[in-house]
Amino acid sequence: DAGVIQSPRHEVTEMGQEVTLRCKPISGHDYLFWYRQTMMRGLELLIYFNNNVPIDDSGMPEDRFSAKMPNASFSTLKIQPSEPRDSAVYFCASRPLGTGELFFGEGSRLTVL
Amino acid sequence: GQQVMQIPQYQHVQEGEDFTTYCNSSTTLSNIQWYKQRPGGHPVFLIQLVKSGEVKKQKRLTFQFGEAKKNSSLHITATQTTDVGTYFCAGPNSGYALNFGKGTSLLVTP
């Protein structure tokens, strides 16, 4: 199995630009999670989906952030407009039903100038 | 909401020394998980503890879950340079996600 696949691995953009991060979970996993990692705040849960339905988006910082999961094999996290404080590593993770273990992708490192 | 706190934030040891990181929760946990993240990498699952007082071993790593299920520890015996990384504990939130501690970054010098 290829594992959780994220793209892009690195993104450098200017303040005000739209950023779209993509994730392909492991096939058959029922849950998909988006986390953000910074030195100051550690790993923060942004949102998670169960069977493509958003369950908890209380961690989404503000209206500039949105996430979708149009089907079981694809999710996006969009930031519009981006700000320098959004600079972080964004991880996608998936989990099968019945186990607690999260499988993380390699992350997307975002730098907003 | 439920939070997990980890100490220490950093630990620097000589190769061969032991290492311990501690995790404390403000509430009782149904289970606790541990992950390792190598520098520049992503978190990788190590283990899940479920039972009160549970102790599990993986080679040189020993994991404990407290009797009250509010604390946990990870102990590494005779560290090696391959142990370098950040170790996170994580507890379930009110739903099906995990709340991660800030992690303990371990540096091992040969």
Side-chain angles (χ1 to χ4, degrees), chain B residues 17-45:
Chain B
E17 292 180 338
D18 291 357
F19 160 77
T20 304
T21 174
Y22 300 90
C23 181
N24 290 286
S25 169
S26 55
T27 59
T28 301
L29 301 170
S30 59
N31 66 82
I32 194 160
Q33 298 183 24
W34 286 90
Y35 290 76
K36 177 183 178 180
Q37 184 177 21
R38 288 200 161 93
H42 58 280
V44 175
F45 175 81

Side-chain angles (χ1 to χ4, degrees), chain A residues 62-106:
Chain A
E62 49 200 86
D63 292 345
R64 297 184 298 107
F65 285 68
S66 62
K68 294 182 180 179
M69 192 166 184
N71 57 62
S73 59
F74 185 65
S75 178
T76 59
L77 178 67
K78 186 175 292 187
I79 308 172
Q80 165 65 16
S82 58
E83 296 182 3
R85 60 187 167 134
D86 302 330
S87 297
V89 180
Y90 291 81
F91 286 105
C92 175
S94 68
R95 203 194 94 197
L97 184 66
T99 78
E101 175 183 354
L102 297 189
F103 294 79
F104 282 81
E106 295 188 341

Side-chain angles (χ1 to χ4, degrees), chain A residues 19-39:
Chain A
V19 174
T20 300
L21 308 178
R22 298 172 177 81
C23 175
K24 176 178 168 53
I26 294 173
S27 177
H29 283 195
D30 297 287
Y31 293 88
L32 183 140
F33 306 83
W34 283 100
Y35 282 88
R36 177 172 68 176
Q37 186 175 41
T38 61
M39 288 293 292

